[in-house]
Amino acid sequence: MSSAIEEPVLPTGDIQADILLGTNMKKRMLVIYLDIVGVALAKSWLHDEIAAKLTTANDMRLFRQDFRRQRAVNGGRKPVLPNSEALSIAFSYHGLVALDAPGADAFAGPGDFGTPFSLGLEKRASVLGDDEAGAGPDTWLTGSRSPHIMLQLGLDDDSEFVEMQRLYSKENSEWLRAQWGIEVVFADEAEHIDGQGSEHFGFKDGLSNPGVRGFFDDGVTPITSRQAGDPDFGKPGQDLIAAGEFLVLRDPINDRIWTEGKVENGEPRGTSSETFTVKYGSRMPSWAINGAFLANRRLRQDVAGFWRWCDAA
C-alpha cells in the first residue's frame, strides 16, 4: 500500500554523512579509538584539525554524484578520487565529560533518555549477551571501557591512507600526546575486496543501511532513493523509517522531532506529532541536535560458515 506521509527537510549541511548515507563507497577505512590525555590540546585538535573537515551529508551527496559519473567512465570499476576523504567522529559519555561539554550530565540518568549511553557498553555487556558468549569487556580490543573518541576515516587514495595510518599509530603516540593531547587506544582497518566495492561476503547492495525519510536541504532530493511506484520503500524490500528514529531533530518551524507514529486501523505508519519540548524539555544540549546515538559493535563474522550454510540449505 502506498501513502503520502509527510517528511521533513533536514539540515544536511549539519549532519554527519555516516549517519544518513554511510561511507561504504570508500576503498579503505580506518577506525581509530582515542583517549583524551590533555583537555586543552584535545579541544584545539578538535577545533583546528577535525571540525571543519567532518564530512556532511551534503558533502557525501556531491561525492557520490562525482563517483558515479567517474565509475561509468571506468566501465563500472570504482574510481579513485583525489582529496575525497570521508571523516566522521563520535564521543562516548566519558569523552564528553573529559571535555567538560556543557550539558553532558543530561545523559547521566538514571531513567533518563541517555542512561544506556552514559553507562557505556562495558556495563551493558551482560544485557547484550557478551558475557554469556565469553566475549566480555576484558576481551575487547579497545580495553574494558569505552574510549573517549571514535574517529572514522574513509579513503580512496592508498598514499593518503598510509599517511593517516602512520599519523594515528601507537608508534606516533608521543607526538600525539604532546601536540594534540590524545592517545591511540586501538586502530582498526578495512577495505573492499575487489574493484566493484564488495564487502567480505561478496555483496555490494548496501541493504544494511537504513532507508531514512526526509529530504536534503534543497527540499527536493530525498535522502533515500525511492523504489519506482511505491513511496514507502527505498531499495526493494527496504522500508523507509522516520528520520527522528536515527537523529536528534528539532524542526525550527513546528518543534517536531519526526519520529515514527502509531499504526491505527491497518493504515501505514506515519510520523508522530511529538515535539522536542515535550520529549526533552530543556535537558537535551543544543549541540546534540542533528547528532545521533551510535552503538559501536565489533563482531566476528564467519564468511566460510555462512556459505556452507547456504550450500546446505
Side-chain angles (χ1 to χ4, degrees), residues 121-126 128-145 297-298 300:
L121 287 174
E122 63 273 16
K123 291 185 178 178
R124 292 173 58 79
S126 59
L128 296 168
D130 290 357
D131 291 336
E132 183 180 353
D138 59 327
T139 71
W140 293 355
L141 295 174
T142 56
S144 58
R145 64 166 180 79
R297 302 279 285 160
R298 190 180 191 276
R300 183 179 295 110

mmCIF file of all heavy atoms in Angstrom, residues 121-126 128-145 297-298 300:
data_model
loop_
_atom_site.group_PDB
_atom_site.id
_atom_site.type_symbol
_atom_site.label_atom_id
_atom_site.label_comp_id
_atom_site.label_asym_id
_atom_site.label_seq_id
_atom_site.Cartn_x
_atom_site.Cartn_y
_atom_site.Cartn_z
ATOM 1 N N LEU A 121 28.992 0.591 26.946
ATOM 2 C CA LEU A 121 28.807 -0.812 26.578
ATOM 3 C C LEU A 121 29.365 -1.771 27.620
ATOM 4 O O LEU A 121 28.856 -2.870 27.813
ATOM 5 C CB LEU A 121 29.471 -1.086 25.223
ATOM 6 C CG LEU A 121 28.763 -0.513 23.997
ATOM 7 C CD1 LEU A 121 29.606 -0.740 22.752
ATOM 8 C CD2 LEU A 121 27.388 -1.142 23.820
ATOM 9 N N GLU A 122 30.433 -1.343 28.314
ATOM 10 C CA GLU A 122 31.060 -2.256 29.265
ATOM 11 C C GLU A 122 30.127 -2.636 30.408
ATOM 12 O O GLU A 122 30.197 -3.743 30.935
ATOM 13 C CB GLU A 122 32.359 -1.653 29.802
ATOM 14 C CG GLU A 122 32.202 -0.360 30.585
ATOM 15 C CD GLU A 122 32.215 0.886 29.725
ATOM 16 O OE1 GLU A 122 32.039 0.757 28.495
ATOM 17 O OE2 GLU A 122 32.405 1.995 30.269
ATOM 18 N N LYS A 123 29.226 -1.722 30.806
ATOM 19 C CA LYS A 123 28.299 -2.018 31.886
ATOM 20 C C LYS A 123 27.013 -2.665 31.381
ATOM 21 O O LYS A 123 26.157 -3.026 32.172
ATOM 22 C CB LYS A 123 27.979 -0.742 32.663
ATOM 23 C CG LYS A 123 29.179 -0.225 33.459
ATOM 24 C CD LYS A 123 28.813 0.967 34.321
ATOM 25 C CE LYS A 123 30.015 1.437 35.135
ATOM 26 N NZ LYS A 123 29.699 2.627 35.957
ATOM 27 N N ARG A 124 26.909 -2.800 30.070
ATOM 28 C CA ARG A 124 25.732 -3.437 29.480
ATOM 29 C C ARG A 124 26.110 -4.728 28.747
ATOM 30 O O ARG A 124 25.319 -5.280 27.992
ATOM 31 C CB ARG A 124 25.049 -2.462 28.518
ATOM 32 C CG ARG A 124 24.409 -1.277 29.246
ATOM 33 C CD ARG A 124 23.873 -0.237 28.292
ATOM 34 N NE ARG A 124 22.885 -0.772 27.366
ATOM 35 C CZ ARG A 124 21.606 -1.011 27.674
ATOM 36 N NH1 ARG A 124 21.161 -0.751 28.902
ATOM 37 N NH2 ARG A 124 20.772 -1.485 26.766
ATOM 38 N N ALA A 125 27.332 -5.193 28.992
ATOM 39 C CA ALA A 125 27.813 -6.385 28.297
ATOM 40 C C ALA A 125 26.934 -7.600 28.578
ATOM 41 O O ALA A 125 26.688 -8.419 27.681
ATOM 42 C CB ALA A 125 29.259 -6.666 28.685
ATOM 43 N N SER A 126 26.440 -7.726 29.806
ATOM 44 C CA SER A 126 25.607 -8.885 30.125
ATOM 45 C C SER A 126 24.258 -8.789 29.421
ATOM 46 O O SER A 126 23.709 -9.794 28.964
ATOM 47 C CB SER A 126 25.406 -8.996 31.640
ATOM 48 O OG SER A 126 24.794 -7.830 32.161
ATOM 49 N N LEU A 128 23.715 -7.390 26.582
ATOM 50 C CA LEU A 128 23.960 -7.613 25.162
ATOM 51 C C LEU A 128 24.383 -9.047 24.844
ATOM 52 O O LEU A 128 24.524 -9.408 23.680
ATOM 53 C CB LEU A 128 25.033 -6.651 24.670
ATOM 54 C CG LEU A 128 24.660 -5.163 24.738
ATOM 55 C CD1 LEU A 128 25.881 -4.300 24.514
ATOM 56 C CD2 LEU A 128 23.583 -4.834 23.720
ATOM 57 N N GLY A 129 24.617 -9.853 25.883
ATOM 58 C CA GLY A 129 24.995 -11.242 25.678
ATOM 59 C C GLY A 129 26.482 -11.481 25.537
ATOM 60 O O GLY A 129 26.922 -12.607 25.279
ATOM 61 N N ASP A 130 27.292 -10.437 25.720
ATOM 62 C CA ASP A 130 28.736 -10.590 25.560
ATOM 63 C C ASP A 130 29.329 -11.510 26.627
ATOM 64 O O ASP A 130 30.166 -12.370 26.320
ATOM 65 C CB ASP A 130 29.422 -9.223 25.620
ATOM 66 C CG ASP A 130 29.116 -8.365 24.402
ATOM 67 O OD1 ASP A 130 28.424 -8.868 23.496
ATOM 68 O OD2 ASP A 130 29.557 -7.210 24.348
ATOM 69 N N ASP A 131 28.932 -11.290 27.864
ATOM 70 C CA ASP A 131 29.484 -12.102 28.961
ATOM 71 C C ASP A 131 29.160 -13.576 28.765
ATOM 72 O O ASP A 131 30.028 -14.445 28.919
ATOM 73 C CB ASP A 131 28.936 -11.610 30.304
ATOM 74 C CG ASP A 131 29.468 -10.233 30.679
ATOM 75 O OD1 ASP A 131 30.549 -9.867 30.189
ATOM 76 O OD2 ASP A 131 28.795 -9.529 31.447
ATOM 77 N N GLU A 132 27.921 -13.850 28.413
ATOM 78 C CA GLU A 132 27.481 -15.237 28.225
ATOM 79 C C GLU A 132 28.255 -15.909 27.087
ATOM 80 O O GLU A 132 28.545 -17.111 27.136
ATOM 81 C CB GLU A 132 25.986 -15.266 27.930
ATOM 82 C CG GLU A 132 25.409 -16.665 27.798
ATOM 83 C CD GLU A 132 23.907 -16.640 27.510
ATOM 84 O OE1 GLU A 132 23.318 -15.545 27.550
ATOM 85 O OE2 GLU A 132 23.340 -17.723 27.251
ATOM 86 N N ALA A 133 28.613 -15.134 26.061
ATOM 87 C CA ALA A 133 29.331 -15.680 24.904
ATOM 88 C C ALA A 133 30.838 -15.747 25.119
ATOM 89 O O ALA A 133 31.579 -16.133 24.220
ATOM 90 C CB ALA A 133 29.020 -14.849 23.668
ATOM 91 N N GLY A 134 31.292 -15.374 26.315
ATOM 92 C CA GLY A 134 32.726 -15.365 26.584
ATOM 93 C C GLY A 134 33.451 -14.234 25.896
ATOM 94 O O GLY A 134 34.661 -14.320 25.627
ATOM 95 N N ALA A 135 32.714 -13.164 25.581
ATOM 96 C CA ALA A 135 33.299 -12.014 24.890
ATOM 97 C C ALA A 135 33.080 -10.739 25.705
ATOM 98 O O ALA A 135 32.706 -9.698 25.170
ATOM 99 C CB ALA A 135 32.699 -11.869 23.499
ATOM 100 N N GLY A 136 33.304 -10.838 27.015
ATOM 101 C CA GLY A 136 33.108 -9.708 27.900
ATOM 102 C C GLY A 136 34.143 -8.620 27.697
ATOM 103 O O GLY A 136 35.083 -8.771 26.905
ATOM 104 N N PRO A 137 33.994 -7.510 28.417
ATOM 105 C CA PRO A 137 34.882 -6.359 28.232
ATOM 106 C C PRO A 137 36.367 -6.668 28.379
ATOM 107 O O PRO A 137 37.199 -6.001 27.760
ATOM 108 C CB PRO A 137 34.410 -5.387 29.325
ATOM 109 C CG PRO A 137 32.964 -5.719 29.513
ATOM 110 C CD PRO A 137 32.886 -7.208 29.347
ATOM 111 N N ASP A 138 36.721 -7.680 29.188
ATOM 112 C CA ASP A 138 38.140 -7.992 29.362
ATOM 113 C C ASP A 138 38.766 -8.574 28.095
ATOM 114 O O ASP A 138 39.992 -8.686 27.992
ATOM 115 C CB ASP A 138 38.336 -8.957 30.538
ATOM 116 C CG ASP A 138 37.580 -10.274 30.355
ATOM 117 O OD1 ASP A 138 36.497 -10.253 29.738
ATOM 118 O OD2 ASP A 138 38.086 -11.301 30.826
ATOM 119 N N THR A 139 37.939 -8.937 27.113
ATOM 120 C CA THR A 139 38.456 -9.465 25.835
ATOM 121 C C THR A 139 38.447 -8.415 24.728
ATOM 122 O O THR A 139 38.929 -8.682 23.625
ATOM 123 C CB THR A 139 37.617 -10.661 25.358
ATOM 124 O OG1 THR A 139 36.315 -10.209 24.931
ATOM 125 C CG2 THR A 139 37.466 -11.698 26.458
ATOM 126 N N TRP A 140 37.915 -7.231 24.985
ATOM 127 C CA TRP A 140 37.751 -6.226 23.935
ATOM 128 C C TRP A 140 39.093 -5.632 23.520
ATOM 129 O O TRP A 140 39.965 -5.364 24.359
ATOM 130 C CB TRP A 140 36.821 -5.114 24.410
ATOM 131 C CG TRP A 140 35.403 -5.568 24.613
ATOM 132 C CD1 TRP A 140 34.884 -6.794 24.322
ATOM 133 C CD2 TRP A 140 34.337 -4.803 25.176
ATOM 134 N NE1 TRP A 140 33.554 -6.849 24.658
ATOM 135 C CE2 TRP A 140 33.184 -5.643 25.173
ATOM 136 C CE3 TRP A 140 34.228 -3.508 25.666
ATOM 137 C CZ2 TRP A 140 31.958 -5.207 25.655
ATOM 138 C CZ3 TRP A 140 33.011 -3.075 26.137
ATOM 139 C CH2 TRP A 140 31.891 -3.916 26.131
ATOM 140 N N LEU A 141 39.244 -5.391 22.233
ATOM 141 C CA LEU A 141 40.483 -4.825 21.701
ATOM 142 C C LEU A 141 40.685 -3.373 22.123
ATOM 143 O O LEU A 141 41.804 -2.874 22.088
ATOM 144 C CB LEU A 141 40.486 -4.923 20.168
ATOM 145 C CG LEU A 141 40.496 -6.349 19.604
ATOM 146 C CD1 LEU A 141 40.340 -6.327 18.097
ATOM 147 C CD2 LEU A 141 41.774 -7.073 19.999
ATOM 148 N N THR A 142 39.607 -2.712 22.503
ATOM 149 C CA THR A 142 39.708 -1.322 22.959
ATOM 150 C C THR A 142 39.860 -1.212 24.469
ATOM 151 O O THR A 142 39.829 -0.112 25.016
ATOM 152 C CB THR A 142 38.457 -0.536 22.536
ATOM 153 O OG1 THR A 142 37.285 -1.197 23.040
ATOM 154 C CG2 THR A 142 38.357 -0.430 21.027
ATOM 155 N N GLY A 143 40.015 -2.345 25.144
ATOM 156 C CA GLY A 143 40.102 -2.312 26.592
ATOM 157 C C GLY A 143 38.739 -2.505 27.221
ATOM 158 O O GLY A 143 37.707 -2.597 26.538
ATOM 159 N N SER A 144 38.717 -2.560 28.525
ATOM 160 C CA SER A 144 37.486 -2.919 29.237
ATOM 161 C C SER A 144 36.547 -1.745 29.486
ATOM 162 O O SER A 144 35.593 -1.858 30.238
ATOM 163 C CB SER A 144 37.832 -3.573 30.578
ATOM 164 O OG SER A 144 38.621 -2.700 31.371
ATOM 165 N N ARG A 145 36.796 -0.613 28.873
ATOM 166 C CA ARG A 145 35.867 0.515 28.954
ATOM 167 C C ARG A 145 35.815 1.204 27.596
ATOM 168 O O ARG A 145 36.677 1.005 26.737
ATOM 169 C CB ARG A 145 36.297 1.527 30.020
ATOM 170 C CG ARG A 145 37.628 2.193 29.719
ATOM 171 C CD ARG A 145 37.866 3.412 30.591
ATOM 172 N NE ARG A 145 39.140 4.043 30.294
ATOM 173 C CZ ARG A 145 39.362 4.848 29.270
ATOM 174 N NH1 ARG A 145 38.391 5.106 28.415
ATOM 175 N NH2 ARG A 145 40.541 5.395 29.083
ATOM 176 N N ARG A 297 29.812 -1.730 17.611
ATOM 177 C CA ARG A 297 29.999 -3.131 17.949
ATOM 178 C C ARG A 297 30.936 -3.768 16.931
ATOM 179 O O ARG A 297 30.726 -3.652 15.715
ATOM 180 C CB ARG A 297 28.661 -3.876 17.929
ATOM 181 C CG ARG A 297 27.616 -3.284 18.878
ATOM 182 C CD ARG A 297 27.846 -3.759 20.281
ATOM 183 N NE ARG A 297 27.414 -5.142 20.451
ATOM 184 C CZ ARG A 297 27.821 -5.931 21.428
ATOM 185 N NH1 ARG A 297 28.725 -5.502 22.303
ATOM 186 N NH2 ARG A 297 27.367 -7.167 21.534
ATOM 187 N N ARG A 298 31.961 -4.433 17.403
ATOM 188 C CA ARG A 298 32.896 -5.133 16.522
ATOM 189 C C ARG A 298 32.591 -6.621 16.634
ATOM 190 O O ARG A 298 32.875 -7.247 17.651
ATOM 191 C CB ARG A 298 34.344 -4.848 16.939
ATOM 192 C CG ARG A 298 35.392 -5.327 15.946
ATOM 193 C CD ARG A 298 36.785 -4.995 16.482
ATOM 194 N NE ARG A 298 37.826 -5.178 15.498
ATOM 195 C CZ ARG A 298 38.418 -6.332 15.218
ATOM 196 N NH1 ARG A 298 38.016 -7.430 15.841
ATOM 197 N NH2 ARG A 298 39.377 -6.409 14.322
ATOM 198 N N ARG A 300 32.598 -10.689 15.158
ATOM 199 C CA ARG A 300 33.298 -11.674 14.341
ATOM 200 C C ARG A 300 32.289 -12.332 13.412
ATOM 201 O O ARG A 300 31.245 -12.824 13.849
ATOM 202 C CB ARG A 300 33.967 -12.720 15.237
ATOM 203 C CG ARG A 300 34.794 -13.754 14.467
ATOM 204 C CD ARG A 300 35.456 -14.750 15.402
ATOM 205 N NE ARG A 300 36.441 -14.095 16.269
ATOM 206 C CZ ARG A 300 36.287 -13.923 17.574
ATOM 207 N NH1 ARG A 300 35.180 -14.315 18.164
ATOM 208 N NH2 ARG A 300 37.226 -13.346 18.296
#
